[in-house]
Amino acid sequence: MTASSLNSREKRAAVSLASVFAFRMLGLFMLMPVLAIYGQQLEGFSPLWIGFAIGAYGLTQAVLQIPMGWLSDKIGRKKVIIGGLCVFALGSVIAATAESVQMVTLGRALQGMGAIASALLALASDLSRDEQRPKVMAVIGMCIGMSFAVAMLLGPIVAASWGVAGVFWLTAGLAILGIFIVLFLVPNAVSKAPKGDTLATLDDIKQLIKHPQLARLDFGVMLLHLTLTTVFVALPGQLIKDGLIADHHWYLYIPVLFLAFFLMAPMMIVAIRKEKEKQAFIGSIALLVLSMLAMSLWVDSVIGIGICMLVYFIAFNFLEATMPALVSRIAPANQKGSAMGVFSSTQFFGAFLGGLLGGYVAQVLSAQAVFAAAALVGLIWLILAWNMQVPPRSKIISLMTELSSEQQAQALASRLVALPGVIEATVVCDENRSYLKINDKEFDLDQARKVAGLI
């Protein structure tokens, strides 16, 4: 087994943890294309309450994401993950048996309280070597993306046969399946990855909020997911008005999502190879704005909505794939965990705000106004992102180091940052770790290990 390949333990960890992630996200995503339609049968129905129900999980996720990561560091990753899946399943059962939209909203909020994303990612880090960690995270990221497409297919089909309750019962079943995967398939971690790679700290969070480039990305991902949930408050009902019956909505969603993915991929490749990442990023936000503006004007045509959604999801997929990588590249070498924690929390908070915005505008005005509001949100983001800076492509790795004083740590950091390919070096005495931000085309891992006294 070469150092450049995942070993059997890392492959098992990547596949099993990605499955847990995918099953959980599948349950959350399946509701988006159906609740606005089938939720009309619930007591107390109103567009505002539907928006609140769609976005409620985002609020509790945003609040609890970082604390659950801290808790996993104290009592163990698997305990927190299993506990979170139990809470998620409980919320699903409450929503499945609910007769009012208010109880559905409570169930969704409980689902969000099972905020296990940070603990799952921390466990994935614990179970992978430094140099292989990006590959494990990539597998997890791909499965999350695939779960969205599958949810757009399954949600309308399940709801057509068993209603919203059927979607929630399936969600509860997937959560229970996730528990069994964690218990019997996910390997046990014998060590913890460095905190700088996985977990947020209060001191880091305070610094990162003030970081202008990271703040742009955090605010941007909040607005991105705000537009997504805003759109799905009004989109399903509008499709029915335009003549596409509810159990045929997947006829539109699936071709749009898969075509958007295949059109986005070459766009990303060209942006990276030609070093035009900023232009592609700004252009994607502009596409998002134009797609929502066009949909607000083309709202009475299923074909028109389909074309607009295709453009929207090309932009959405590019931004969703690009932004975490930019956060990792911009974040200080020893604060990646904190940076990603803040990023994830603002992402979920955006889902909550989007539900509220979409529900309020749909209730007071119309579906057309909902799409126009999403376009306005995108325009605000475009203005804020215009002066963003895209740093050189880099990776972050960490090395074990055993030092007895801050003076030794500073001396080692100076030697490490002088190595070819090292962009930034931070040595943390308390953790016995050196964090390096590197250009992997120029970086020699063995040379760094030699300087750190590991060879």
Side-chain angles (χ1 to χ4, degrees):
M1 181 64 65
T2 65
S4 61
S5 303
L6 294 176
N7 60 35
S8 58
R9 187 165 176 266
E10 288 166 335
K11 290 177 182 177
R12 183 178 160 198
V15 172
S16 58
L17 290 173
S19 300
V20 175
F21 244 121
F23 287 150
R24 178 175 163 279
M25 298 309 293
L26 184 64
L28 291 172
F29 289 146
M30 277 196 299
L31 198 70
M32 293 182 66
V34 301
L35 186 58
I37 301 169
Y38 297 94
Q40 296 179 32
Q41 303 166 8
L42 296 168
E43 294 177 10
F45 168 84
S46 72
L48 180 58
W49 268 108
I50 289 297
F52 196 24
I54 289 176
Y57 85 93
L59 177 62
T60 46
Q61 283 274 333
V63 171
L64 294 175
Q65 199 64 242
I66 291 175
M68 291 286 274
W70 293 338
L71 184 62
S72 78
D73 203 41
K74 299 294 183 183
I75 68 172
R77 314 288 194 216
K78 283 194 172 184
K79 290 180 181 178
V80 167
I81 293 168
I82 292 170
L85 287 170
C86 289
V87 173
F88 184 84
L90 176 62
S92 301
V93 171
I94 289 174
T97 56
E99 296 182 356
S100 69
V101 70
Q102 289 81 9
M103 286 302 294
V104 168
T105 302
L106 174 62
R108 289 282 286 173
L110 273 174
Q111 284 183 321
M113 290 178 70
I116 58 172
S118 56
L120 279 168
L121 293 175
L123 181 56
S125 295
D126 294 344
L127 292 168
S128 55
R129 293 164 291 168
D130 291 342
E131 63 272 21
Q132 300 303 324
R133 200 163 291 143
K135 296 179 184 178
V136 174
M137 297 302 178
V139 171
I140 292 173
M142 285 191 298
C143 285
I144 293 173
M146 289 174 58
S147 70
F148 185 82
V150 173
M152 293 297 106
L153 170 63
L154 277 184
I157 293 175
V158 173
S161 300
W162 295 287
V164 172
V167 175
F168 282 118
W169 282 119
L170 179 57
T171 298
L174 290 172
I176 292 170
L177 180 58
I179 292 172
F180 280 98
I181 291 173
V182 174
L183 287 173
F184 299 111
L185 295 181
V186 176
N188 290 315
V190 295
S191 62
K192 288 185 179 179
K195 290 183 180 180
D197 280 359
T198 59
L199 297 174
T201 68
L202 283 175
D203 289 340
D204 289 347
I205 290 171
K206 293 175 184 176
Q207 295 178 33
L208 293 170
I209 289 174
K210 300 176 184 178
H211 193 296
Q213 298 305 320
L214 288 174
R216 276 193 176 94
L217 290 171
D218 293 336
F219 194 68
V221 78
M222 182 182 76
L223 297 183
L224 179 64
H225 282 259
L226 190 156
T227 65
L228 181 67
T229 49
T230 296
V231 166
F232 275 98
V233 170
L235 178 61
Q238 185 60 45
L239 289 174
I240 290 176
K241 287 182 181 179
D242 293 343
L244 187 64
I245 62 174
D247 53 350
H248 288 175
H249 283 191
W250 66 273
Y251 291 0
L252 175 70
Y253 294 142
I254 295 305
V256 163
L257 287 169
F258 279 100
L259 188 56
F261 175 80
F262 285 112
L263 291 174
M264 177 276 295
M267 174 179 165
M268 180 171 287
I269 293 170
V270 170
I272 293 172
R273 287 182 177 175
K274 300 292 185 180
E275 297 184 351
K276 300 291 185 182
E277 289 178 273
K278 178 178 177 179
Q279 292 88 331
F281 190 91
I282 298 297
S284 294
I285 302 174
L287 281 179
L288 188 149
V289 174
L290 290 174
S291 66
M292 290 296 97
L293 183 60
M295 196 151 77
S296 71
L297 301 174
W298 213 351
V299 74
D300 295 324
S301 165
V302 171
I303 294 176
I305 288 177
I307 293 171
C308 294
M309 290 305 296
L310 174 61
V311 175
Y312 174 86
F313 275 110
I314 291 172
F316 181 92
N317 289 341
F318 180 87
L319 294 164
E320 184 81 347
T322 301
M323 294 175 79
L326 289 175
V327 171
S328 181
R329 282 155 62 180
I330 293 172
N334 65 322
Q335 295 178 6
K336 180 181 175 183
S338 296
M340 293 308 297
V342 174
F343 181 81
S344 296
S345 294
T346 53
Q347 179 183 43
F348 285 117
F349 190 61
F352 167 69
L353 293 179
L356 287 185
L357 176 64
Y360 177 78
V361 175
Q363 181 163 314
V364 174
L365 298 172
S366 63
Q368 186 176 20
V370 170
F371 305 137
L376 179 60
V377 169
L379 181 61
I380 293 170
W381 183 15
L382 181 64
I383 294 169
L384 293 174
W386 194 263
N387 292 323
M388 70 173 288
Q389 299 173 10
V390 176
R393 297 188 66 81
S394 64
K395 292 181 179 179
I396 294 176
I397 67 167
S398 61
L399 302 172
M400 288 291 295
T401 48
E402 294 185 8
L403 303 170
S404 57
S405 69
E406 287 295 331
Q407 289 77 14
Q408 287 181 322
Q410 292 175 10
L412 176 58
S414 298
R415 294 198 300 273
L416 288 169
V417 81
L419 294 174
V422 177
I423 301 169
E424 179 185 333
T426 303
V427 180
V428 183
C429 259
D430 294 342
E431 295 182 24
N432 290 324
R433 282 277 175 176
S434 295
Y435 297 91
L436 306 180
K437 184 178 287 189
I438 63 167
N439 178 340
D440 60 349
K441 293 180 180 179
E442 303 174 8
F443 179 71
D444 186 333
L445 180 59
D446 289 336
Q447 187 178 12
R449 284 175 169 163
K450 186 175 181 180
V451 170
L454 301 176
I455 298 178

